[in-house]
Amino acid sequence: MSDVNHHLHSDVDSHANSHANRRANRSEDSEARWPDSHPYPRPDSPPLLSPDQAEHTLDVWLVPKFSMLTLFCLLEPLRVANRFGRDLFAWRLLSADGEAVTASNGVRIDVDGRLSEVTEADWYQGLASKGRLMVVSSYEPEACIGAEDLALLKRLAAHGVWLGGVDTAPFILARAGVLEGYPVALHWESVPAFREEFPELEVRADSYVWEGGRLTGSGGAASIDMMLEWIVTLYGPSLAEAVGRQIVHSRPAEASGAATAQQAAGRAGASTGWVADRASPRELPRGVLRALAVMEANLAQALPIPDVCRLAGLSQRQLTRLFVQEFGETPKQCYLNMRLDQAQRILADSRIAVTEAAVAVGFSHLAHFSRAYRKRFGEAPSVTARRGLRPPASAEG
């Protein structure tokens, strides 16, 4: 399986060498390679395995309002891999208090135990250095995270535990201080807020990043590729490809040559998810992509629309016609909404104050920002900030 993690600004050869080195560093997990050919998988799915039965175990910490899609995409490749004749993978679902966790879609999931009890039991058995913990969160990632949870992550890191986080979970890992020196990938919506709060950490525009003992990713369907990559490191590409066929998983769009509107915008310089949310499925006109790239590059200091038109190479009349045709809004409306959407992500996902968020998206007058924000989202920016802001975590009796 080829590596899907391509840094947007990295040299192809150096990236390939780096990837090869990372796999070599994980050679201790590659003792038993999978054969080049596979029988048809056994029709019965084996029962859930316990850690002592399986060759590898993944502990998954579910944070309330986690993404169900992400959880399924993490576990299904492992379940399917077990169908090929060997008991390869086990997983344990954990929560901070050992109680069932409700996902963002309202479904409650039972867990196998309390996070601290399971991980500390492994320490006593001398298994911590082989531990693997994946944190899965989505909305309001810190709603139930306390000081004791962050301290536990630090202890796990100190004991050599492999730590991962997907979707918004890198916020939790970063606040625990266990991502220093590691590149980070997370859901594109959360990137602006993450960069505001953790400017010292490198954020990559990859679906996932695996460096040493840290694995972070954007979550969702991209988690399938992340797990297939883990299978490759353990048993080689043949098993990973067989698992991919069983779950009817195609290669990423960039591998097949297809280009989404968001990818096309990325080539033109536009980098946020606004294009993917608002654009039609067909490829956008080049002038529109250039204008979007200019807008996205100037969110912190908004340009006058005539300047946007000049840099996009179109007259204001032409650009207005194209934007109304593609988005149903004028360039000025789209530009304002892009800035407000960015502000909402910053307020919801970080500890940035309302005034700082307003400045970060080019508003010099707080009253103007508040009026525009309330009109777009139906609430004051301070309400969004209170929902995203968590008090300094402290242990509760």
Side-chain angles (χ1 to χ4, degrees):
M1 170 181 175
S2 60
D3 191 354
V4 298
N5 293 339
H6 296 293
H7 193 297
L8 295 179
H9 304 293
S10 64
D11 178 80
V12 173
D13 291 335
S14 64
H15 177 80
N17 291 336
S18 175
H19 178 63
N21 290 337
R22 289 199 302 273
R23 287 192 177 176
N25 291 337
R26 298 195 294 269
S27 60
E28 68 274 7
D29 283 336
S30 307
E31 297 174 357
R33 309 298 286 180
W34 205 260
D36 292 334
S37 60
H38 301 281
Y40 190 80
R42 52 192 179 191
D44 61 314
S45 293
L48 294 179
L49 304 175
S50 63
D52 59 337
Q53 293 174 302
E55 296 178 19
H56 303 278
T57 298
L58 179 68
D59 287 325
V60 182
W61 177 14
L62 300 179
V63 178
K65 295 190 178 180
F66 71 92
S67 165
M68 186 75 78
L69 174 62
T70 296
L71 176 63
F72 288 167
C73 290
L74 285 173
L75 300 185
E76 281 299 283
L78 306 184
R79 180 191 67 82
V80 173
N82 287 346
R83 295 183 61 196
F84 286 87
R86 279 167 55 187
D87 295 333
L88 304 178
F89 296 102
W91 53 87
R92 295 181 291 191
L93 303 183
L94 309 174
S95 67
D97 58 5
E99 299 297 324
V101 186
T102 302
S104 60
N105 62 3
V107 176
R108 285 175 60 83
I109 298 293
D110 290 331
V111 299
D112 299 301
R114 183 174 179 175
L115 175 67
S116 59
E117 292 176 353
V118 171
T119 52
E120 289 178 358
D122 284 347
W123 295 349
Y124 298 143
Q125 297 174 33
L127 301 176
S129 62
K130 294 184 178 296
R132 298 177 180 87
L133 175 66
M134 180 67 70
V135 186
V136 181
S137 64
S138 184
Y139 297 102
E140 302 178 14
E142 289 191 287
C144 300
I145 304 300
E148 66 278 6
D149 301 315
L150 299 180
L152 174 61
L153 289 175
K154 289 184 74 72
R155 292 199 301 273
L156 291 174
H159 282 76
V161 173
W162 177 100
L163 294 173
V166 287
D167 201 328
T168 60
F171 278 95
I172 298 171
L173 298 179
R175 288 177 185 140
V178 298
L179 289 183
E180 295 177 5
Y182 295 96
V184 180
L186 69 163
H187 195 280
W188 61 264
E189 278 189 326
S190 299
V191 168
F194 192 90
R195 283 179 168 151
E196 287 284 340
E197 187 166 350
F198 305 103
E200 73 283 2
L201 296 180
E202 177 192 357
V203 179
R204 293 187 182 174
D206 299 325
S207 59
Y208 64 88
V209 176
W210 193 345
E211 291 286 350
R214 300 292 179 271
L215 175 58
T216 54
S218 57
S223 302
I224 295 176
D225 289 306
M226 191 167 68
M227 289 295 97
L228 291 178
E229 175 68 9
W230 187 30
I231 292 173
V232 167
T233 65
L234 297 176
Y235 301 107
S238 184
L239 177 60
E241 290 168 5
V243 170
R245 286 194 299 271
Q246 285 296 309
I247 61 178
V248 198
H249 177 66
S250 302
R251 302 290 295 156
E254 58 268 25
S256 62
T260 64
Q262 187 178 17
Q263 290 163 344
R267 289 196 295 269
S271 59
T272 74
W274 188 91
V275 176
D277 284 348
R278 305 296 298 279
S280 59
R282 61 189 177 84
E283 189 167 335
L284 294 171
R286 289 183 180 274
V288 172
L289 290 175
R290 287 195 295 268
L292 290 171
V294 170
M295 292 175 181
E296 290 189 331
N298 292 277
L299 294 178
Q301 188 171 1
L303 298 177
I305 294 301
D307 288 353
V308 174
C309 295
R310 176 177 56 80
L311 293 169
L314 295 172
S315 69
Q316 188 165 344
R317 182 176 180 180
Q318 287 175 308
L319 191 64
T320 299
R321 177 180 59 80
L322 288 172
F323 266 65
V324 170
Q325 172 185 305
E326 297 293 340
F327 309 126
E329 295 177 334
T330 66
K332 183 177 181 179
Q333 290 169 324
C334 286
Y335 199 2
L336 175 61
N337 289 338
M338 290 167 67
R339 294 160 59 205
L340 292 171
D341 290 350
Q342 179 107 321
Q344 186 195 44
R345 288 192 289 269
I346 291 173
L347 290 170
D349 291 338
S350 76
R351 294 174 175 172
I352 300 300
V354 171
T355 302
E356 294 176 84
V359 171
V361 294
F363 286 86
S364 55
H365 299 288
L366 185 58
H368 178 207
F369 170 70
S370 297
R371 284 195 301 271
Y373 191 96
R374 184 185 292 273
K375 182 177 180 181
R376 178 150 178 80
F377 300 113
E379 67 179 21
S382 58
V383 175
T384 307
R386 283 196 297 271
R387 222 175 23 247
L389 179 65
R390 300 298 159 194
S394 59
E396 297 178 358

